[in-house]
Amino acid sequence: MNKFSEKILGYWIAIPRWFRLFILSAITIYVILLALFEGVQIVFFNLESIELSTLIIALIGSLLIVIIFKVLSHNSK
């Protein structure tokens, strides 16, 4: 590792763990909520801008995600 990388790593490690996790979680939650609100806005106010094929692909993807979560939660019990 060069000196610059070591210095940045030292700064990163100097930040308390709870703060690092908080910042990363806050950014993740912000991005997910931003995508959610943009999606809701498109569905309710600009529904005609979504093509039928895009809507079907999104519904199939959502169904697969729900099935995966259901199977994983069922196996963990």
Side-chain angles (χ1 to χ4, degrees):
M1 229 189 300
N2 60 18
K3 289 191 176 215
F4 181 70
S5 298
E6 288 177 5
K7 190 179 272 191
I8 290 180
L9 181 62
Y11 289 143
W12 180 252
I13 292 175
I15 299 171
R17 186 172 187 266
W18 66 268
F19 190 73
R20 287 184 302 198
L21 290 176
F22 170 75
I23 293 298
L24 294 175
S25 299
I27 292 171
T28 303
I29 291 170
Y30 172 74
V31 169
I32 289 172
L33 287 177
L34 185 67
L36 178 72
F37 288 134
E38 288 292 322
V40 167
Q41 186 178 18
I42 288 173
V43 168
F44 286 124
F45 300 115
N46 294 331
L47 189 58
E48 63 274 355
S49 67
I50 301 176
E51 296 179 12
L52 184 61
S53 61
T54 305
L55 188 61
I56 290 173
I57 291 171
L59 288 174
I60 291 171
S62 299
L63 181 65
L64 287 174
I65 291 171
V66 167
I67 290 172
I68 289 170
F69 280 142
K70 188 167 178 84
V71 167
L72 290 177
S73 68
H74 180 50
N75 287 343
S76 66
K77 289 183 180 178

